[in-house]
Amino acid sequence: MVAVAAKFQATCVVNHFPGKTPEAVHQKSIDSLEQVRDELLKRKTSMMEMGIKPENIILDPGIGFGKTMELNERLLRFAEIVPGERVLIGHSRKRFLGEHRFEEGPNLQAAKEAIEGGAEFLRVHDPEIYQALIKG
């Protein structure tokens, strides 16, 4: 995929996914913000070496994939520890939001936190509920 993206200069999202399979990922419990940052930046460097322009790479810290609940919450503000990087936050309906994770309130609050932290993109399930945040 990286070779295809480089050939066509496509915009790519690189996700922090600490394993090869979903089963392996969910057996992990990463709690280091710096580890996520360092591993994503290393992957970005590798992608750039293969010909993808840096501005075409969006970093996704992979909330919910092999991280502790506490780290997932801290990752909402991931953009703050990678200044100048394009960041996508995929928080929608994730377990760390609690038992009401399918309701608007916790999802909107998490989105607000991500936006205030500098995220440029959000990956969500119900885009229409986020319109007020976008316009605000």
Side-chain angles (χ1 to χ4, degrees), residues 100-110 126 128-130:
H100 300 287
R101 70 181 184 265
F102 295 103
E103 297 175 12
E104 285 185 23
N107 286 282
L108 288 172
Q109 184 57 42
D126 304 303
E128 65 279 356
I129 72 169
Y130 297 90

Side-chain angles (χ1 to χ4, degrees), residues 2 7 12 14 18 20 26 35 42 47 56 61 64 73 85-86 91 107 119 121 127 133-135:
V2 174
K7 179 178 179 180
C12 308
V14 59
K20 300 229 184 255
H26 291 300
Q35 179 182 350
K42 182 178 178 182
M47 293 169 75
N56 289 348
E73 191 169 322
E85 299 290 341
R86 302 176 81 192
H91 69 282
N107 286 282
F121 304 94
L133 286 177
I134 295 167
K135 292 176 183 173

Side-chain angles (χ1 to χ4, degrees), residues 65-125:
F65 297 109
K67 280 72 170 197
T68 63
M69 297 294 239
E70 295 79 19
L71 179 57
N72 286 323
E73 191 169 322
R74 292 174 56 212
L75 287 171
L76 289 172
R77 298 187 79 90
F78 181 72
E80 291 178 339
I81 69 160
V82 288
E85 299 290 341
R86 302 176 81 192
V87 172
L88 176 146
I89 297 294
H91 69 282
S92 181
R93 300 182 184 173
K94 297 287 179 142
R95 217 173 293 149
F96 82 98
L97 294 174
E99 64 182 64
H100 300 287
R101 70 181 184 265
F102 295 103
E103 297 175 12
E104 285 185 23
N107 286 282
L108 288 172
Q109 184 57 42
K112 184 178 178 191
E113 184 83 13
I115 291 167
E116 288 173 355
E120 188 175 344
F121 304 94
L122 300 175
R123 186 176 63 240
V124 300
H125 288 90

